[in-house]
Amino acid sequence: MDDKSVERSSLYSLEFPAPQVTDHEGTGPVLVHALNGFADAGHAVALAAQHLRDALDSELVATFSSDELIDYRSRRPTISFNGDTFTDVEMPSLTMHAIRDTAGRPFLLLAGSEPDLRWEQFVEAVRGLAERFGVTDVIGLNAIPMAVPHTRPPSITAHGSDPERLGDLPRWGSAMRLPASASMLLELRMSEHDYRAAGLSVHVPHYLSQADYPAASARLLGAVGELTGLELPITALDNAAAKVRTQIDAEVSGNAEIESVVTALEAQYDTFTQAQEERASLLAAESDLPSGEELGAELEKFLAEQMRDGGEDGGQFGTGPYGGPDEPGGPPSPM
């Protein structure tokens, strides 16, 4: 075994025997990575990953070393104390599972805490596992807070090394420089090694970015199915989303200030959506709607603020790119 192989395996422990992940035609699996922490508004990424493991046949493939990859002083684990002694501790985890969709087609899911340390070595380790299991496509999941209403279906944007493969999914449409994440680096490095790599970002109402928002999780998994052909169950997420919607509506009802904000977001969303449909374009021409460049600039500003304010320590976004609950003009949180 060469030095690189030793280094790859030093970051994870592999289960033996390894599960079979090629389909009946001998085609290798899709790798879905769902790293929570930096871009997981509404906990949509974590919820989607947990749902896949719970709803489908799942088998552990590899466990990554938290001691090697996580800065515990940046994201301190939670420890339980019963009044006399410490009883339990919840340590961050990062694992890869082999999962089969409802049609029996296997895929790999890399999910858990985004690494704080050794990003390049982490990516190299993941690439080694991808080579081992014959991975063909790599798709990353993200969730970002945006000025969208909870009363409309979650929107999504996509990017990737093969734009044609993204089909009709909307794109950002503008160039930008922004703080990186391990998920972004993984997408870049995998594409540099000729994997078809893509990323999906679902838009979460920024006034709900710290609450569980299963509607966004369902939209992410639906988009994964569109790109890969995987048959992923989302009924449970849809049911959970309906319950959350009822709770939010109850909080909003009767609060004139919040209702006015939601109504304004609905009008913007509907006008923008109508413009998309009429022009078959991501960009709306009306001056009162954000252009692709404006969206990109706001996203870049938001991510920079998260880095400056320590927002990367757990994905708890306090404000969205268009103003948050505590900013003048931003909607107060109904939750």
Side-chain angles (χ1 to χ4, degrees):
M1 182 178 293
D2 59 26
D3 290 341
K4 180 174 287 189
S5 297
V6 172
E7 181 58 41
R8 285 177 181 172
S9 62
S10 72
L11 293 186
Y12 62 83
S13 58
L14 192 64
E15 297 294 309
F16 291 100
Q20 178 67 34
V21 293
T22 55
D23 62 22
H24 63 279
E25 296 178 351
T27 303
V30 172
L31 169 61
V32 177
H33 54 99
L35 305 181
N36 55 65
F38 184 63
D40 192 14
H43 312 135
V45 174
L47 288 172
Q50 187 62 51
H51 172 72
L52 290 175
R53 290 192 297 262
D54 291 344
L56 297 168
D57 291 337
S58 176
E59 187 175 356
L60 182 64
V61 173
T63 302
F64 284 80
S65 172
S66 296
D67 282 352
E68 295 288 341
L69 297 173
I70 303 298
D71 178 0
Y72 296 134
R73 291 189 300 176
S74 174
R75 290 185 284 175
R76 293 184 182 272
T78 300
I79 196 166
S80 299
F81 185 70
N82 67 3
D84 295 311
T85 185
F86 295 106
T87 59
D88 192 20
V89 63
E90 185 177 341
M91 299 297 288
S93 65
L94 179 58
T95 59
M96 180 178 287
H97 283 76
I99 301 178
R100 291 187 177 272
D101 71 0
T102 57
R105 179 182 172 188
F107 65 98
L108 294 172
L109 174 66
L110 174 65
S113 301
E114 178 194 33
D116 297 309
L117 310 170
R118 302 177 70 177
W119 279 9
E120 291 284 10
Q121 293 174 13
F122 165 70
V123 169
E124 185 68 10
V126 174
R127 189 169 70 84
L129 288 170
E131 291 176 357
R132 179 187 185 97
F133 293 108
V135 166
T136 57
D137 297 79
V138 182
I139 297 179
L141 307 184
N142 299 280
I144 58 176
M146 294 287 282
V148 294
H150 72 277
T151 54
R152 298 293 185 268
S155 53
I156 201 165
T157 47
H159 47 81
S161 58
D162 184 2
E164 292 185 1
R165 180 174 169 271
L166 301 177
D168 295 330
L169 289 174
R171 323 295 168 80
W172 285 111
S174 62
M176 66 184 84
R177 293 181 62 84
L178 58 153
S181 68
S183 179
M184 297 175 191
L185 182 64
L186 180 58
E187 180 179 331
L188 172 64
R189 294 294 186 239
M190 296 300 280
S191 66
E192 289 174 344
H193 286 84
D194 299 324
Y195 289 89
R196 292 191 297 267
L200 299 169
S201 296
V202 68
H203 309 156
V204 174
H206 58 292
Y207 51 90
L208 298 174
S209 61
Q210 297 188 56
D212 287 353
Y213 197 62
S217 304
R219 182 67 184 96
L220 277 175
L221 296 186
V224 171
E226 292 175 32
L227 293 185
T228 64
L230 289 171
E231 298 181 19
L232 304 177
I234 60 173
T235 300
L237 289 172
D238 286 337
N239 292 338
K243 293 180 180 178
V244 169
R245 168 68 185 274
T246 299
Q247 294 170 353
I248 298 171
D249 286 345
E251 294 286 343
V252 171
S253 178
N255 188 315
E257 184 179 4
I258 297 176
E259 287 181 338
S260 66
V261 169
V262 173
T263 299
L265 290 175
E266 288 174 339
Q268 176 175 285
Y269 181 101
D270 293 343
T271 303
F272 189 62
T273 301
Q274 182 179 0
Q276 284 182 300
E277 294 174 351
E278 292 176 351
R279 298 171 178 82
S281 170
L282 175 65
L283 303 180
E286 285 80 354
S287 60
D288 59 337
L289 295 175
S291 68
E293 292 182 357
E294 289 169 338
L295 283 171
E298 291 291 353
L299 176 62
E300 184 174 358
K301 176 184 176 183
F302 163 74
L303 292 172
E305 289 174 350
Q306 296 306 302
M307 292 293 290
R308 184 172 60 252
D309 297 337
E312 70 274 23
D313 62 356
Q316 299 299 314
F317 300 101
T319 62
Y322 292 93
D326 301 321
E327 296 180 356
S333 174
M335 300 303 290

